[in-house]
Amino acid sequence: METQQKENTAQRNLLGTLRSNSTFGTFIKAIDKAGLAASLTGTEQYTLFAPTDEAFAALPAGMLERLLEPANKDELASLINYHLVSGHKTTKDFGQWTAARTLQGQHAPVVVAQGTLSIGGAQITESDIMAKNGVIHVIDKVNIPEAKPH
């Protein structure tokens, strides 16, 4: 992303920044279906690990369709919250971590190896995209939280 474009996104909130990029259509749809749009447009600061449409396309067959059904709204919200960390964290901040505590409640492992950074097994392909209420890091895989025992 060019510097001019990065500066422009800093004027938008997290959701507006996602909407300005055509590679996050599925993630935006999931955020809307889960009822989480308001939290990404508010003033609270978040770090968002945003899977691309390609990442969603790589999910097991039928999984995305099942998650988008109204009956699975809570499970979808849990998955999205697993891609959010409270606060404004750049790669410099979490490059020292071994795990990040997500809004979903579980810790996602953070690994720095051979110049690449990954969280929860997803490689960060573009980092430090600033928004008014946080920062976005683009990831190449949808991270699935561990199933919680009933």
Side-chain angles (χ1 to χ4, degrees):
M1 199 178 258
E2 294 177 17
T3 304
Q4 179 65 38
Q5 193 175 354
K6 276 193 178 186
E7 288 172 9
N8 290 342
T9 62
Q11 304 307 309
R12 296 186 189 110
N13 59 44
L14 288 166
L15 193 56
T17 302
L18 287 176
R19 289 189 198 281
S20 72
N21 188 319
S22 63
T23 61
F24 300 113
T26 306
F27 194 42
I28 293 165
K29 182 178 181 178
I31 290 166
D32 289 340
K33 291 265 188 187
L36 296 175
S39 59
L40 296 180
T41 57
T43 57
E44 190 159 343
Q45 294 287 310
Y46 293 107
T47 300
L48 176 63
F49 298 94
T52 62
D53 289 343
E54 283 183 8
F56 276 99
L59 286 173
M63 182 177 190
L64 179 61
E65 293 77 11
R66 183 184 62 76
L67 285 169
L68 292 175
E69 291 173 7
N72 299 317
K73 183 178 179 178
D74 290 346
E75 185 181 353
L76 181 61
S78 176
L79 180 130
I80 291 166
N81 282 329
Y82 192 62
H83 291 82
L84 281 163
V85 173
S86 189
H88 185 273
K89 309 292 182 197
T90 65
T91 50
K92 184 179 176 187
D93 295 323
F94 61 79
Q96 310 302 316
W97 300 352
T98 57
R101 182 171 175 80
T102 68
L103 289 188
Q104 183 264 356
Q106 293 180 18
H107 286 81
V110 175
V111 176
V112 181
Q114 297 153 355
T116 63
L117 186 59
S118 68
I119 182 159
Q123 186 171 333
I124 296 173
T125 58
E126 191 171 348
S127 60
D128 301 334
I129 301 168
M130 301 302 163
K132 273 196 301 194
N133 60 335
V135 60
I136 298 171
H137 305 288
V138 181
I139 55 176
D140 66 353
K141 173 181 165 288
V142 177
N143 287 330
I144 309 292
E146 291 178 25
K148 291 185 177 179
H150 296 288

